[in-house]
Amino acid sequence: MSCCKTSSPKNFPITMLKAMTLITMMVMVRPIEGKRHFYIRNEVGKPVIFRCQSGEEDLGYRILEPGKIFDHGFTSLKFGHLLYFCHFYMEHKDIRFDVYSNSVGGGCDPGKRFPDLPHPQCYNGHTEWVVREDGFYKHCVYYLVKDTICDTNDDDMYIKPSDCKKEHDW
């Protein structure tokens, strides 16, 4: 008689199925970094047509009226690369560029932008694109993340936005 219990052939398929399920779940789980946004603000005196896409999502064609803001929120991944690009049209002009990626929107990380900030994890940085007659300007907007351990009684939710910097001509 053996002192060790061995797996019988009839239990083998169940054990193998459990192992394969566990491996599949480990591969499929991707750590989430948090909610991100990119904004597009029209400061041109006429409508701007645009279409934004990622590898997983097509936001379709949109018309952004003068003075209006388009807001797209999405969940970014801690590992991997997420990219949103937009194609803009105004009269006879058009241009396509990346509006969010790890390097484009990720450049609005509060910890990198404000190294002396006491709790950078308490803020989210969002990218805003400003459409003007002469081109596209980018700046970062920072918000205090509410309902977290960082929640304070302070009414000042914002860090001063970065200056607008021209990134693209029409």
Side-chain angles (χ1 to χ4, degrees), residues 17 34 71 78 82 114-115 163 169:
L17 180 61
D71 169 13
K78 193 164 193 144
L82 180 62
F114 302 99
D163 296 329
D169 291 316

Side-chain angles (χ1 to χ4, degrees), residues 44-49 88-94 133 170:
V44 180
K46 51 192 137 226
V48 174
I49 298 170
F88 295 89
Y89 309 87
M90 187 179 69
E91 296 175 337
H92 62 278
K93 305 173 191 175
D94 74 286
E133 194 70 48
W170 269 101

Side-chain angles (χ1 to χ4, degrees), residues 65-139:
E65 297 295 332
K68 299 295 180 183
I69 297 174
F70 170 78
D71 169 13
H72 181 63
F74 55 95
T75 303
S76 67
L77 304 174
K78 193 164 193 144
F79 304 112
H81 187 74
L82 180 62
L83 170 70
Y84 276 92
F85 63 92
C86 296
H87 199 142
F88 295 89
Y89 309 87
M90 187 179 69
E91 296 175 337
H92 62 278
K93 305 173 191 175
D94 74 286
I95 185 173
R96 179 200 157 292
F97 59 86
D98 297 345
V99 294
Y100 182 91
S101 70
N102 293 16
S103 58
V104 175
C108 289
D109 178 349
K112 293 177 185 167
R113 181 91 171 121
F114 302 99
D116 296 334
L117 192 65
H119 302 287
Q121 72 276 14
C122 297
Y123 293 87
N124 262 342
H126 303 299
T127 306
E128 181 175 70
W129 289 94
V130 180
V131 185
R132 295 183 178 155
E133 194 70 48
D134 67 331
F136 296 82
Y137 293 75
K138 182 184 114 174
H139 75 102

Side-chain angles (χ1 to χ4, degrees), residues 47-60:
V48 174
I49 298 170
F50 66 95
R51 178 183 183 192
C52 297
Q53 297 172 273
S54 73
E56 300 172 0
E57 185 176 28
D58 184 345
L59 304 180

